[in-house]
Amino acid sequence: MKFSHQLVLSSLAVFVLSACSGSATQRRQAKDDFEYLNTPEMQQWKLPADAEPQFYPNYQIPQGEFLGGIGREVDIRPPQQVLELIPGARAERKQGETTLWLLREDEAEKVWQTALKMTQEENIAIREQTETHMETDWVTWVSEDEDVELGARYQIDRVAAGGRYGFRISLIDWREAGKVVPVSMTNKERYNALMTNLVTARYDLDLREEAARQAQQLVKRIPITMGSDRSGFPVIIARTSYNVLWNRLPELLPEIGFTLEERNQSQGTVKAKYAEPGDEFWTEIGVEPIALPPGSYTFLFGDLGNRTSINITDSSGKPVEEKFLEDMVPVLVATADKQAE
């Protein structure tokens, strides 16, 4: 991924690109004509002097001055979403600005340091910088959905309010084909979200790499036992951090017969399909087979600090019986120990 004052959207896996064919203009604009722009101005009804008008409010057109594009100015591309790449973070979007609210101050500090590191490594020039504020020089966006080269300047701030800690990105200047023009709300919303995704994607990558290093260096065997969650319900407890366990899942679950279908780290869910392994597997790990019917299941992982809770629900969303969890514990232990050898 190359920045150096130029951000190429088509090369970034974090963006959902348009699947439409044709030119950049066709991807942004509706295919129909714009004949509606020639609609005559509305006129007041002329009624006979003795007529009593009656109007239904169902179809009343709102009155007022409404701002926004019409015709070819309307951008039909779906809004750019802020990706949920930081567990527990919540994105707030107002007036085109994007604020990412985090649960802890140390997390906000890590995201801030990630943004600083990203600008330094990719040679993005900084005009102003303090401990909580940063203003970039011009950064160029190159996109298959745009006709011309776009430029943007950003203001990035650390904020705090009501015991929450935030990271705010604001697009403050805009240019098209080298010419500075006013920032439209559409571009402000879209390219604020894209820059936010760049920072959070880099944060997520750093977090995954660090978790992988910890998994390799510190965790040889994961203690796994039965326990209970904060509500007192029975769960499996893995005595390792959430991020470390999450990185072991792609290796651990398939070993015991689960085919991974969908993973969401921020929500702590893994959807998988179970098919019981053959007798050779059970003989090799020295554990009795679990009485779990074949089918689709969802693993629910909870972050308990230095521990991680594991619960399982069936295809209807109902938690499996406690006995299934108890039978699963020795299987997970034996499989994790076998992988650590």
Side-chain angles (χ1 to χ4, degrees), residues 214 238-246 303 305-308:
Q214 291 182 11
R239 300 188 181 278
T240 188
S241 67
Y242 177 87
N243 289 329
V244 172
L245 181 64
W246 186 265
D303 188 349
N306 61 349
R307 301 174 301 152
T308 305

Side-chain angles (χ1 to χ4, degrees), residues 7 13 94 107 115 130 153 166 186 198 286 291:
L7 304 180
K94 289 184 178 179
E107 287 186 329
T130 66
R153 292 203 316 110
T186 297
L198 280 175

Side-chain angles (χ1 to χ4, degrees), residues 1-9 118-127 135-142 149-154 175 195 198:
M1 182 169 58
K2 183 179 181 181
F3 293 66
S4 300
H5 300 280
Q6 180 170 317
L7 304 180
V8 184
L9 302 193
M118 187 180 73
T119 57
Q120 293 170 1
E121 291 178 351
E122 306 302 337
N123 298 319
I124 298 177
I126 303 299
R127 289 193 179 184
E135 186 176 309
T136 73
D137 203 344
W138 287 104
V139 177
T140 300
W141 293 97
V142 177
E149 188 176 83
L150 306 176
R153 292 203 316 110
Y154 290 91
R175 68 185 182 189
M195 180 58 81
L198 280 175

Side-chain angles (χ1 to χ4, degrees), residues 38-59:
N38 300 321
T39 302
E41 292 287 337
M42 297 184 64
Q43 299 179 359
Q44 188 69 30
W45 280 97
K46 296 181 180 180
L47 301 173
D50 58 346
E52 182 179 349
Q54 294 185 2
F55 298 99
Y56 292 95
N58 308 57
Y59 308 102

Side-chain angles (χ1 to χ4, degrees), residues 127 135 138 151-154 171-175 180-181 183:
R127 289 193 179 184
E135 186 176 309
W138 287 104
R153 292 203 316 110
Y154 290 91
L171 195 161
I172 55 177
D173 280 324
W174 184 255
R175 68 185 182 189
V180 177
V181 296
V183 184

Side-chain angles (χ1 to χ4, degrees), residues 224 229-230 235-238 240-250 252-253 260 262-272 297-304 307-313 332:
I224 300 175
D229 61 15
R230 293 188 176 96
V235 292
I236 298 172
I237 298 293
T240 188
S241 67
Y242 177 87
N243 289 329
V244 172
L245 181 64
W246 186 265
N247 280 276
R248 291 288 300 275
L249 292 177
L252 190 61
L253 293 180
L260 306 186
E262 183 179 330
R263 302 172 66 202
N264 189 315
Q265 185 174 3
S266 62
Q267 296 181 6
T269 59
V270 173
K271 295 183 179 180
Y297 295 88
T298 299
F299 287 78
L300 309 173
F301 296 87
D303 188 349
L304 305 178
R307 301 174 301 152
T308 305
S309 65
I310 307 173
N311 204 352
I312 308 172
T313 62
L332 290 173

